Amino acid sequence: MSQTTAITDAITTLLAAEQRFSLIRTEDPNFFSEWQQDLPELTSIDRTLLADLRRRYIYHRSAGQLLESTVTLLFASPLLALTGFYDPPFRVRAEESVRLVLQDSEEVLQGRIDALVVCDAVWVIILESKKTMLSIWSALPQALAYLMGNPNLERPCFGMLTNGDEILFIKVDKSGLPQYAVSRVFATLGSAEESIDVLRILRQIGREAG
C-alpha cells in the first residue's frame, strides 16, 4: 500500500530534491539562456504599468512584513497579468494539485502549486510565493518537486519564485537526464531596473511557449 506524503514535508532541502528525482544542476549558460539572451523590449505603457505595480507594492511593504497571500495579491499575480499570462493562448490554474509517484518506491508525494500557467496542455511556468521574511531560496526544493510533476517530457518547464522583495527563475528539462538551472536573484524591491528585467524574462518565456 502506497504512503502519501506532503511535498512540503518530504522535500525540505535542495539535496533531498536532487536525490529523490535524480536531478542534476547545470551551470551551462546555454541550458538556461532564456533569462539572459534576446529579451523583448518593453513599451512605455508596459514600463508605466510596471512602475505602478512596484509603487503599490512598496507602499504596502513599507508598513512591515507581508504574508504569502498578500505577496501574491499585490505583486506576483499582477506581474503575471502584465506579462500576458492571463490572456490567450495561456490559462492560469490556481492551487493546482500535483501528485508524484516516486520510482522504485511506494511513496507518493502530493502538494499544491500557488499558480500554474499552461498553454494548451503544456506547462509554461509555475509561481511559488513566500512571505517577505523568508528567503526565496527556501522555496527552491519544493518548486523543483512541482516542476518534476510536469507530465510533459518533451518541453522544458520554468518556475518563478518570489517573496515580493526578490525573484528567482528556474528551468527544468526532463527530456533526457533530468537537469535544472537557476537564474541570478533579481532585487525587485530595491531596483526598478531589475523589475524591468523580470518582466522582459517572463515575456521571453511566454513568447517561446506560446
Side-chain angles (χ1 to χ4, degrees):
M1 184 176 179
S2 62
Q3 175 184 352
T4 300
T5 307
I7 287 175
T8 50
D9 294 332
I11 310 295
T12 58
T13 67
L14 196 52
L15 179 61
E18 291 174 343
Q19 289 182 340
R20 285 187 181 235
F21 303 113
S22 300
L23 262 172
I24 297 175
R25 177 172 175 172
T26 176
E27 296 189 354
D28 179 356
N30 295 318
F31 177 82
F32 192 6
S33 60
E34 290 86 354
W35 73 274
Q36 301 178 78
Q37 299 178 9
D38 303 322
L39 300 181
E41 294 299 325
L42 301 183
T43 66
S44 58
I45 295 176
D46 290 331
R47 291 172 179 265
T48 299
L49 292 173
L50 183 61
D52 288 343
L53 188 163
R54 186 167 175 270
R55 173 188 50 77
R56 192 175 301 114
Y57 175 77
I58 290 174
Y59 167 73
H60 290 278
R61 180 68 173 87
S62 65
Q65 302 286 352
L66 301 178
L67 297 177
E68 178 180 328
S69 58
T70 310
V71 169
T72 300
L73 180 67
L74 287 175
F75 183 74
S77 182
L79 185 59
L80 291 182
L82 186 54
T83 301
F85 284 150
Y86 288 176
D87 302 312
F90 305 104
R91 294 187 184 276
V92 174
R93 302 173 185 170
E95 293 291 319
E96 179 73 4
S97 179
V98 177
R99 185 177 175 88
L100 293 164
V101 180
L102 300 183
Q103 291 185 348
D104 303 322
S105 172
E106 294 185 350
E107 187 176 16
V108 176
L109 302 183
Q110 192 160 346
R112 288 188 180 274
I113 302 170
D114 288 346
L116 169 66
V117 177
V118 297
C119 181
D120 295 326
V122 177
W123 287 22
V124 178
I125 194 166
I126 70 164
L127 165 69
E128 192 66 21
S129 300
K130 291 296 179 185
K131 302 175 184 177
T132 51
M133 68 180 65
L134 294 179
S135 165
I136 52 173
W137 292 103
S138 67
L140 182 56
Q142 181 179 338
L144 286 172
Y146 292 150
L147 288 166
M148 288 301 294
N150 179 9
N152 192 306
L153 300 178
E154 298 178 359
R155 299 277 297 273
C157 187
F158 300 88
M160 185 182 82
L161 312 182
T162 184
N163 57 8
D165 298 354
E166 297 176 326
I167 284 180
L168 179 74
F169 291 100
I170 323 166
K171 179 180 181 178
V172 167
D173 191 335
K174 302 196 299 179
S175 59
L177 193 64
Q179 295 185 80
Y180 78 97
V182 298
S183 70
R184 70 174 177 84
V185 174
F186 291 85
T188 48
L189 176 63
S191 169
E193 286 301 314
E194 302 238 324
S195 298
I196 290 171
D197 289 341
V198 162
L199 181 55
R200 294 177 69 201
I201 292 166
L202 286 170
R203 287 272 178 88
Q204 170 79 322
I205 293 172
R207 183 170 65 180
E208 294 191 6

